[in-house]
Amino acid sequence: MNDQVPKFPEPYWRIDMEPFDFPTLSEDTSCEVVVVGGGIAGITTAYLLQKEGKNVVLLDAGVLINGTTGHTTAKITSQHGLFYHELIQHFGKEKARLYYDANQEGLELIESLVNDLGIDCDFSHEDAFVFTTDPDEIFNIKKEDDAYSELDINGGLIDEKTLPIHARAAIVMRDQAQFHPVKYLNVLVKEFVKAGGTVYENTTANDVKTGERPRVVTRDGHEVECDYVVAASHFPFYDGMGLYYTRMHAERSYSLAVKTSKPIATGMYINVEDPKRSIRSTPGADGPLMIIGGEKHKTGQGVDTSKHYEALAAYSKELFPDGEILHRWATHDLITMDKVPYIGHLTKKHKNIFVATGFHKWGMTNGTVAAKIIRDGILEKDNRYTELFTPHRMKADPGIKEFVKENANVAKYFVKGKVDMVRRKPEDLTSDEGGVVTVRGKRAGAYKDLDGRLHVVDTTCTHLGCECEWNDGDRTWDCPCHGSRFDVEGVVIEGPADKPLKKLDLD
Ligand SMILES: Cc1cc2nc3c(=O)[nH]c(=O)nc-3n(C[C@H](O)[C@H](O)[C@H](O)COP(=O)(O)OP(=O)(O)OC[C@H]3O[C@@H](n4cnc5c(N)ncnc54)[C@H](O)[C@@H]3O)c2cc1C
């Protein structure tokens, strides 16, 4: 990593945030609803249901708001890149409009909570722009403009010369928003607890014993009996034969927080082409910062991940020559086959288990929509978005094509990891270096820390047996098949894996 980029990752949103320090579940208990996952989807669901008088328990495997939500870019918008033309093609005009309405309602709910609860979270209204510098993409921006007109979306083509960044074409969606996600959710958590909700941190849910009163089983063997389970654990912690790992992939992206004397004061920007570039500002504690994101790739398939940070740093230098990179971080999100999230009953037969996943890097609105749909499902109220987001949809186009592509990619990485020749030994590593090595003739993973200690693990992912790859930017082991991530000791950072990598003893 070059020295413009900070040595260790640290998301801007979590700096100076006091951790909650909720207890770990240490006995069996019961309630009406168990929500698993303390990100935007889980916390909003728990909050809304507790406010409706349900007795809710919220579990998180680590600490709250430290998953993807703690590492996001936090634009609150219904403009999800160029998406509406594609939505009309695949789902028809009516459903494309429903998708827009649902996300607008997500935005409105966030704004009303900010106002009603007086949350100080740097919420501001902003226009959202998709731009391109690639002449081949101008046509796609025009098609998106047609979709905006057809769906009566507030926005359309704009004169790209009015933008503060170089572009050859651009489309705007008016009156969207941005915020500080951790400040916002911190207050929702406090309000949830004030209303009688219970939170357990460092409590990993491993399984569900299904039945009329399902029981969520934790890794420590404790059970929470309830009427309803909500899997808001990013990747669903319980699959129930829903085969979610065959229907989604994980995509990783990188972010920088940059201090500059000439920040872009308004607007949120994202480009069409690769490499992806996303830009927004945030007030910052000591003056405005620019959040610059991008460099997407499938989790575990990025090879030298520090190169992605360096590429973003170079882009930041072009935009802000005097810019100083104060923080860097990376995270991944899940993408379904048709890019519309899976929200609703886990499978057709699981009427008391709900899932919210696959937010396609637009989870601020989609995660909030999920909370509303699941709240209404549990309260047995109609919700006009239920059918659009149901996880049981399976449309021939693009579903089947994407299904085949997705699983061929998994098979490729499954085989590749098993046959790759590795000659390095753990002792060949230098300080702060990790990588795949050979231990007693077998593939293993090793990291030599700054004190010279070796941390050696079996790289076989405990989910479905693919071989994890070293992520040098974050110093983690990432699975290229389904996106599970592990720290240098093999501890699970992100699922679907719920068991650690096996540690290897060199003696
Ligand atoms: C780089 C990047 C930029 C993005 N920018 C934007 C943006 O600008 N706007 C936008 O709308 N969206 C954006 N997104 C997407 C958005 O951040 C995510 O969709 C959203 O944060 C996901 O929220 P979540 O609640 O589903 O998951 P998370 O925030 O990951 O929360 C899940 C929680 O579940 C817990 N958990 C997992 N497994 C278990 C288990 N077995 N037991 C108990 N707990 C468990 C985890 O510890 C975690 O706390 C971005 C995504 C990426 C990758």
Side-chain angles (χ1 to χ4, degrees):
M1 190 93 66
N2 68 33
D3 39 340
Q4 281 170 21
V5 183
K7 201 164 169 57
F8 290 95
E10 181 185 43
Y12 165 71
W13 313 116
R14 292 196 53 83
I15 294 161
D16 299 334
M17 287 290 134
E18 282 285 310
F20 282 107
D21 206 16
F22 287 111
T24 300
L25 182 68
S26 57
E27 58 185 7
D28 293 354
T29 184
S30 68
C31 61
E32 288 177 286
V33 184
V34 179
V35 177
V36 177
I40 190 161
I43 291 172
T44 315
T45 307
Y47 168 82
L48 292 182
L49 282 166
Q50 189 69 42
K51 283 288 184 188
E52 291 288 344
K54 291 282 174 196
N55 172 14
V56 182
V57 167
L58 174 63
L59 305 180
D60 198 283
V63 297
L64 299 181
I65 333 173
N66 195 27
T68 303
T69 305
H71 295 71
T72 184
T73 314
K75 299 172 179 172
I76 312 169
T77 176
S78 310
Q79 187 192 55
H80 298 172
L82 297 186
F83 195 34
Y84 287 96
H85 173 75
E86 187 179 332
L87 272 177
I88 293 172
Q89 298 302 305
H90 296 318
F91 287 90
K93 182 176 160 185
E94 201 180 312
K95 287 205 166 144
R97 173 73 205 196
L98 265 186
Y99 182 88
Y100 170 74
D101 287 347
N103 279 279
Q104 284 294 109
E105 276 187 27
L107 190 163
E108 281 156 24
L109 177 59
I110 292 173
E111 182 169 14
S112 67
L113 288 172
V114 168
N115 291 335
D116 296 350
L117 300 173
I119 307 178
D120 180 6
C121 62
D122 306 328
F123 182 96
S124 63
H125 278 281
E126 305 287 341
D127 288 339
F129 301 87
V130 184
F131 68 95
T132 185
T133 52
D134 179 351
D136 291 342
E137 294 290 353
I138 294 174
F139 179 63
N140 289 324
I141 289 200
K142 287 191 175 144
K143 281 200 295 196
E144 190 73 352
D145 180 48
D146 294 341
Y148 278 28
S149 303
E150 210 176 323
L151 300 176
D152 200 19
I153 289 175
N154 181 10
L157 283 182
I158 51 142
D159 177 359
E160 67 280 3
K161 292 186 200 66
T162 60
L163 293 187
I165 38 185
H166 168 64
R168 299 186 79 146
I171 186 166
V172 64
M173 192 177 281
R174 299 285 179 205
D175 210 15
Q176 304 296 293
Q178 61 184 18
F179 68 163
H180 186 307
V182 179
K183 287 184 183 171
Y184 166 75
L185 288 168
N186 266 343
V187 176
L188 284 204
V189 172
K190 286 180 188 153
E191 291 293 323
F192 167 69
V193 173
K194 223 194 274 175
T198 308
V199 185
Y200 295 101
E201 291 183 310
N202 299 307
T203 302
T204 302
N206 252 1
D207 198 5
V208 181
K209 290 184 178 164
T210 54
E212 205 153 303
R213 288 269 295 164
R215 280 171 289 160
V216 173
V217 185
T218 70
R219 182 183 290 161
D220 298 341
H222 302 299
E223 296 186 0
V224 192
E225 193 181 78
C226 56
D227 296 326
Y228 296 98
V229 179
V230 179
S233 47
H234 202 219
F235 206 104
F237 76 98
Y238 173 68
D239 190 69
M241 298 295 280
L243 301 182
Y244 283 87
Y245 54 86
T246 65
R247 302 197 279 145
M248 292 195 292
H249 72 267
E251 214 170 79
R252 203 157 178 78
S253 303
Y254 300 78
S255 301
L256 305 175
V258 179
K259 192 169 172 54
T260 166
S261 63
K262 292 199 178 80
I264 297 172
T266 60
M268 309 182 294
Y269 307 85
I270 193 161
N271 68 348
V272 184
E273 60 274 15
D274 284 330
K276 200 50 91 197
R277 300 292 180 235
S278 157
I279 302 152
R280 61 159 283 194
S281 63
T282 189
D286 304 313
L289 293 176
M290 298 306 302
I291 308 286
I292 300 176
E295 288 290 311
K296 73 176 163 74
H297 61 81
K298 277 194 164 187
T299 299
Q301 300 183 16
V303 198
D304 189 351
T305 58
S306 54
K307 295 277 173 273
H308 296 290
Y309 283 113
E310 287 170 7
L312 265 194
Y315 180 67
S316 159
K317 200 91 203 145
E318 270 173 44
L319 290 183
F320 309 107
D322 73 343
E324 184 194 350
I325 301 169
L326 300 188
H327 308 283
R328 70 157 171 103
W329 65 97
T331 186
H332 73 220
D333 208 13
L334 299 162
I335 301 174
T336 68
M337 291 186 300
D338 56 23
K339 302 182 193 156
V340 172
Y342 295 140
I343 304 167
H345 293 124
L346 184 76
T347 71
K348 278 187 186 156
K349 73 173 185 90
H350 289 99
K351 296 292 180 210
N352 49 13
I353 305 181
F354 288 83
V355 68
T357 190
F359 297 143
H360 181 207
K361 298 198 185 165
W362 299 107
M364 300 301 104
T365 50
N366 271 321
T368 308
V369 169
K372 290 182 70 172
I373 293 175
I374 292 172
R375 175 200 60 190
D376 292 348
I378 289 175
L379 298 179
E380 296 181 9
K381 283 188 187 164
D382 285 340
N383 185 304
R384 69 190 185 109
Y385 307 118
T386 303
E387 195 198 325
L388 171 66
F389 291 101
T390 177
H392 323 132
R393 64 185 182 271
M394 185 55 137
K395 284 174 63 82
D397 180 20
I400 300 292
K401 250 187 352 218
E402 284 301 313
F403 179 85
V404 171
K405 201 168 96 191
E406 209 32 71
N407 290 291
N409 178 274
V410 166
K412 176 179 142 193
Y413 276 88
F414 184 85
V415 175
K416 182 179 173 299
K418 306 288 175 200
V419 299
D420 273 353
M421 284 285 290
V422 184
R423 294 214 166 76
R424 290 184 91 193
K425 301 231 162 61
E427 52 273 26
D428 299 337
L429 296 171
T430 56
S431 176
D432 196 25
E433 189 188 10
V436 176
V437 293
T438 298
V439 173
R440 293 184 282 274
K442 288 204 178 126
R443 186 187 209 269
Y447 168 68
K448 188 181 268 182
D449 67 24
L450 293 167
D451 299 325
R453 270 194 313 259
L454 280 167
H455 305 259
V456 190
V457 292
D458 180 342
T459 53
T460 308
C461 181
T462 52
H463 175 225
L464 291 177
C466 292
E467 295 299 327
C468 295
E469 296 293 340
W470 178 242
N471 171 342
D472 65 338
D474 296 328
R475 299 170 180 82
T476 56
W477 291 102
D478 296 357
C479 176
C481 292
H482 303 106
S484 296
R485 298 181 60 241
F486 306 85
D487 74 10
V488 293
E489 296 285 334
V491 174
V492 178
I493 303 173
E494 284 178 76
D498 59 6
K499 293 183 194 63
L501 295 179
K502 201 165 125 199
K503 280 176 79 166
L504 297 181
D505 187 349
L506 285 183
D507 302 328

